[in-house]
Amino acid sequence: MSYFRPNIEKMNGYVPGLQPTGDKITKLNTNENPYPPSPKVMEAIGGVSPDRLRRYPSSTCDAFREEAAKVNRVPPESILCCNGGDEMLTIAVRSFCGEGRPLAYPTPTYSLYPVLAASQNCPGIEVEFDESYNLPGELLHTGAKLTILCNPNAPSGSFVEPSVVQRLAGEFKGKSVLLVDEAYVDFASKNCAHLAQANDNVIILRSMSKGYSLAGLRFGYAIASKELIRGLEKVKDSYNVDALSIAAATAAIKDQEYFLGNIEKVKSERARLTNALCDLGFKVPESQANFILAQCIDRNAAQAYKELTRREIYVRYFDLPRLEDKLRITVGTKDENDALLKALKEILHADGDTAR
Amino acid sequence: MSYFRPNIEKMNGYVPGLQPTGDKITKLNTNENPYPPSPKVMEAIGGVSPDRLRRYPSSTCDAFREEAAKVNRVPPESILCCNGGDEMLTIAVRSFCGEGRPLAYPTPTYSLYPVLAASQNCPGIEVEFDESYNLPGELLHTGAKLTILCNPNAPSGSFVEPSVVQRLAGEFKGKSVLLVDEAYVDFASKNCAHLAQANDNVIILRSMSKGYSLAGLRFGYAIASKELIRGLEKVKDSYNVDALSIAAATAAIKDQEYFLGNIEKVKSERARLTNALCDLGFKVPESQANFILAQCIDRNAAQAYKELTRREIYVRYFDLPRLEDKLRITVGTKDENDALLKALKEILHADGDTAR
């Protein structure tokens, strides 16, 4: 006999990527930014007084909202802060989904979405992306109350054009909500923020984890109509983000110059890494994120993953349809990427000439 | 037409206490500890490197778990960390409750519980405490899958003996879970931690907000059987507590000497404030928390609340059954308590001699 709800008892929890530590490791498995956060972040943290820790923080993270509103050119009331993007996904599923109110998403994608459906005891409807990761038309006819589009998508790095996303939002209008999970959008050439203003049923989710190098901080935010924000606010815990995180995230988003410089460095390494992997015989589609999904042509991907891990080089491998022949590799620093390329050369070479 | 689930559309969110700021105010309305956190906390925060912010934190807060396990004499696997006690309450309601799976709690109590029931779309069964805040016998027969006992209770400050709580847990065994919300237990003379080891259906909830002066940090933890912890872990977000909070909370719980010194100071002021309010004509039952619930005998409580607020002295007033004639007052520093007492004397005096 279990005390838990049957859906909770039955479900498997989300399995996060390994978080190994150590000086010698090369960690390219969970899409962290390879560069440190803005020095202003450390200053802001140092400026938080004991008195601010003693008292409850702002339940609406006002300081951050003001800055994020400026950056995104929306009113502060259109922004809701959360304890990492994952919390916003949880809040959205709890707000819109339930028994008879499905969640839908195109696959393969972020493996947290089915876990959230299971924990909310709602149907999770999966619709497959086509070969080139175009949006599947069936997504229009799922009857879902919430559809999540990860854009850029993980783990493919592919990107659906904002005009296509707008068509989807238009079709859902009056019926259901479209949440665009833009956790990786800082590394893309476009984004969908404007759709949150143009549509009453669109939520844009942003994260400070990747573009702003603050995965350790747990800070994300949603952009949506004031009406949607007001409803989501009722579901979130009152004080869901702490005083230190508010101070740090506010300093980070204010320092756009530092942020944009880091983004350019990652994009430039992404291009170099992509080319080098192609030279090694991998098939690497264009990525708009801070990782690439490299298809092993002459080599077993699971085996390559194991051999990299043995060398303390961590990438991500998913034993799932369409992914079992690929490695998802976070774009690291030049040195980290070089270490990966060197190891892959050795691993491929060990097979002899025929395997390149 | 609303995009939200009907229960979300219909519900009111939790209304947190006012968080006014300013140098001149006396803030005795949301039960913050009047003394700053341990100096070790500030040191620990200063020691967090940019690299730790860049990377994901420990999803199980291992450093904190080790220390909390020592303090509470339980295995680390019996501890689950959360982003403030409120997050743990949310996780528990999502884990055990749903349609046909009620939540129950004795009232009057923490006003978040009915909000969590509404957001989970489960029945919220309220059973009234008796006059002296003894545990009502009807609590045994609610059919709830989760019962929450706030102990010490807010806003009454009353305490149910651990032996009585054990009897309740025993009756629920094999049927449902008992969560003892010990947010205020650091100010009580006993606690129920041992019940989490002796029963497979008991969750003890602790908070670092009150006793450890860290409301701004959002850090709490649950103590329960390893089986319950494993299930709750599936429902929580993977990285629900950030790297700065883990470092700060770990330093705080390690510094037991500082913590115990602060607790004694609060208890001593609680006794002084209670006596002084009785001398002013209030009726003040014994409190085991860091606040007192003072009954206005000769005076309208709502009016007294307004007049205190006008003087920038903030206490909490609830316009609810059994509470509408009372003020809930957080125990402050000596100066803050004196400011409150002085203002109350003026307010009472303004009525003339007949009102004392």
Side-chain angles (χ1 to χ4, degrees):
Chain A
M1 180 270 168
S2 167
Y3 294 109
F4 288 89
R5 299 173 72 195
N7 58 309
I8 304 293
E9 182 61 31
K10 189 170 70 187
M11 74 184 261
N12 292 315
Y14 175 73
V15 181
L18 282 177
Q19 301 296 355
T21 51
D23 289 343
K24 290 189 307 183
I25 68 164
T26 302
K27 189 170 182 309
L28 303 174
N29 67 330
T30 53
N31 300 339
E32 286 123 329
N33 195 310
Y35 306 108
S38 159
K40 303 269 171 66
V41 167
M42 306 315 287
E43 265 174 51
I45 292 168
V48 174
S49 68
D51 216 49
R52 266 167 76 193
L53 293 185
R54 186 176 70 77
R55 293 201 171 170
Y56 282 95
S58 159
S59 73
T60 43
C61 307
D62 290 339
F64 181 88
R65 287 220 296 190
E66 291 292 331
E67 292 303 323
K70 280 185 222 162
V71 168
N72 292 290
R73 299 197 193 89
V74 297
E77 297 77 24
S78 285
I79 288 177
L80 185 69
C81 297
C82 50
N83 185 40
D86 288 353
E87 190 195 37
M88 194 67 229
L89 294 168
T90 302
I91 290 170
V93 171
R94 291 174 58 210
S95 295
F96 307 112
C97 302
E99 290 175 43
R101 299 178 64 99
L103 169 70
Y105 45 88
T107 60
T109 191
Y110 185 23
S111 53
L112 178 64
Y113 305 153
V115 175
L116 294 177
S119 71
Q120 183 68 356
N121 204 21
C122 73
I125 301 178
E126 311 201 332
V127 182
E128 215 180 317
F129 277 113
D130 76 8
E131 278 281 304
S132 312
Y133 282 89
N134 293 307
L135 214 53
E138 300 94 304
L139 212 55
L140 286 175
H141 312 295
T142 62
K145 290 296 181 182
L146 174 68
T147 302
I148 305 183
L149 173 66
C150 189
N151 199 38
N153 187 47
S156 61
S158 55
F159 187 76
V160 177
E161 286 294 315
S163 57
V164 177
V165 180
Q166 171 57 60
R167 280 208 295 280
L168 195 62
E171 293 284 347
F172 288 161
K173 195 174 163 57
K175 289 180 286 194
S176 68
V177 171
L178 176 64
L179 186 154
V180 188
D181 182 347
E182 292 196 339
Y184 296 102
V185 86
D186 294 332
F187 307 99
S189 49
K190 298 178 190 171
N191 69 62
C192 291
H194 56 290
L195 303 189
Q197 291 297 294
N199 300 274
D200 71 354
N201 62 333
V202 169
I203 300 171
I204 303 294
L205 172 56
R206 293 289 177 81
S207 168
M208 302 296 284
S209 296
K210 324 290 183 183
Y212 290 88
S213 312
L214 290 171
L217 199 68
R218 318 312 304 128
F219 202 103
Y221 64 98
I223 312 174
S225 69
K226 292 175 196 177
E227 290 68 31
L228 282 185
I229 295 290
R230 266 201 296 271
L232 294 167
E233 235 163 20
K234 293 195 286 186
V235 177
K236 88 170 180 75
D237 290 332
S238 306
Y239 302 107
N240 61 328
V241 183
D242 67 74
L244 288 162
S245 294
I246 297 171
T250 305
I253 202 167
K254 271 176 104 159
D255 196 351
Q256 286 292 305
E257 192 183 334
Y258 181 90
F259 160 72
L260 293 169
N262 266 4
I263 296 295
E264 283 314 308
K265 285 199 280 185
V266 172
K267 283 184 179 174
S268 152
E269 272 300 304
R270 180 177 69 195
R272 187 180 75 90
L273 182 61
T274 300
N275 290 335
L277 286 168
C278 289
D279 288 347
L280 281 176
F282 287 87
K283 197 173 158 192
V284 188
E286 191 202 335
S287 168
Q288 296 260 345
N290 69 335
F291 55 81
I292 55 179
L293 189 66
Q295 186 179 1
C296 300
I297 301 294
D298 310 315
R299 198 71 171 79
N300 180 294
Q303 189 60 31
Y305 166 75
K306 271 184 211 155
E307 294 187 29
L308 285 171
T309 304
R310 199 166 55 77
R311 287 165 166 85
E312 297 202 275
I313 295 175
Y314 295 88
V315 300
R316 192 97 194 243
Y317 174 71
F318 301 92
D319 190 10
L320 293 171
R322 291 178 65 168
L323 301 174
E324 70 282 275
D325 59 344
K326 301 180 180 75
L327 299 174
R328 194 197 67 185
I329 303 167
T330 305
V331 178
T333 59
K334 182 172 184 306
D335 286 353
E336 289 172 327
N337 299 334
D338 284 344
L340 170 84
L341 290 166
K342 180 164 172 282
L344 280 174
K345 260 179 221 162
E346 286 168 17
I347 292 166
L348 297 175
H349 195 72
D351 270 5
D353 284 350
T354 54
R356 300 186 61 160
Chain B
M1 179 273 168
S2 166
Y3 295 110
F4 288 90
R5 300 173 71 196
N7 58 307
I8 304 293
E9 182 61 30
K10 191 169 68 188
M11 74 185 260
N12 293 314
Y14 175 73
V15 181
L18 281 177
Q19 301 298 353
T21 50
D23 289 342
K24 290 189 307 182
I25 68 163
T26 302
K27 189 169 182 309
L28 303 173
N29 67 331
T30 54
N31 300 340
E32 286 122 329
N33 195 310
Y35 307 108
S38 159
K40 302 270 171 66
V41 167
M42 306 315 286
E43 265 175 52
I45 291 168
V48 174
S49 68
D51 217 50
R52 265 166 77 192
L53 293 184
R54 186 176 71 75
R55 294 202 171 170
Y56 282 95
S58 159
S59 72
T60 42
C61 307
D62 290 339
F64 181 88
R65 286 218 298 189
E66 291 292 332
E67 292 303 323
K70 279 184 223 162
V71 169
N72 293 290
R73 298 198 194 87
V74 297
E77 299 75 24
S78 285
I79 288 177
L80 185 69
C81 297
C82 50
N83 185 41
D86 287 354
E87 190 195 38
M88 196 66 230
L89 294 168
T90 303
I91 291 171
V93 171
R94 292 174 59 210
S95 294
F96 306 113
C97 302
E99 291 176 41
R101 298 178 65 97
L103 169 69
Y105 44 89
T107 59
T109 190
Y110 185 22
S111 54
L112 178 64
Y113 305 154
V115 175
L116 294 177
S119 71
Q120 183 69 356
N121 203 22
C122 73
I125 301 178
E126 311 201 332
V127 182
E128 214 179 319
F129 278 113
D130 75 8
E131 279 281 303
S132 312
Y133 283 90
N134 293 308
L135 214 53
E138 301 93 303
L139 212 55
L140 286 175
H141 312 296
T142 62
K145 290 297 182 183
L146 174 67
T147 301
I148 305 182
L149 172 67
C150 189
N151 200 37
N153 187 48
S156 61
S158 54
F159 187 76
V160 176
E161 286 294 315
S163 58
V164 176
V165 179
Q166 171 58 59
R167 280 209 296 278
L168 195 62
E171 293 284 345
F172 289 161
K173 194 173 163 58
K175 289 180 286 195
S176 69
V177 171
L178 175 64
L179 187 153
V180 188
D181 181 347
E182 292 196 338
Y184 296 102
V185 86
D186 295 331
F187 306 100
S189 50
K190 298 179 190 171
N191 69 63
C192 292
H194 56 289
L195 303 189
Q197 291 297 293
N199 299 276
D200 71 354
N201 63 332
V202 169
I203 301 172
I204 302 294
L205 172 57
R206 293 288 176 81
S207 168
M208 302 297 285
S209 295
K210 322 290 184 183
Y212 290 87
S213 312
L214 290 171
L217 199 68
R218 319 311 305 126
F219 202 104
Y221 65 97
I223 312 174
S225 69
K226 292 175 195 175
E227 290 66 32
L228 282 185
I229 295 291
R230 265 201 296 272
L232 295 166
E233 234 163 23
K234 294 195 286 188
V235 177
K236 88 169 179 74
D237 291 333
S238 305
Y239 303 107
N240 61 327
V241 183
D242 66 75
L244 289 163
S245 295
I246 297 172
T250 305
I253 201 167
K254 271 176 105 159
D255 196 351
Q256 286 291 307
E257 191 182 336
Y258 181 90
F259 159 72
L260 293 170
N262 265 2
I263 296 295
E264 284 313 308
K265 285 198 280 184
V266 171
K267 283 183 180 176
S268 152
E269 273 300 304
R270 180 177 68 195
R272 188 181 72 92
L273 182 61
T274 299
N275 291 335
L277 285 168
C278 289
D279 289 347
L280 281 176
F282 288 88
K283 197 174 157 191
V284 188
E286 191 203 334
S287 167
Q288 295 260 345
N290 70 335
F291 55 82
I292 54 179
L293 189 65
Q295 186 178 0
C296 300
I297 301 294
D298 311 314
R299 197 71 171 77
N300 180 294
Q303 189 61 30
Y305 167 74
K306 271 184 211 155
E307 294 187 30
L308 285 171
T309 304
R310 199 166 53 77
R311 287 166 165 85
E312 299 202 273
I313 295 175
Y314 295 87
V315 299
R316 193 97 195 242
Y317 174 71
F318 301 93
D319 190 10
L320 293 170
R322 294 177 63 167
L323 301 174
E324 70 283 277
D325 59 345
K326 301 179 180 75
L327 299 175
R328 194 197 65 185
I329 303 167
T330 305
V331 178
T333 60
K334 182 173 185 308
D335 286 354
E336 288 172 328
N337 299 334
D338 283 344
L340 170 83
L341 291 166
K342 181 165 171 281
L344 280 174
K345 261 179 220 162
E346 286 169 17
I347 292 166
L348 297 175
H349 195 71
D351 271 5
D353 284 348
T354 54
R356 300 186 61 162

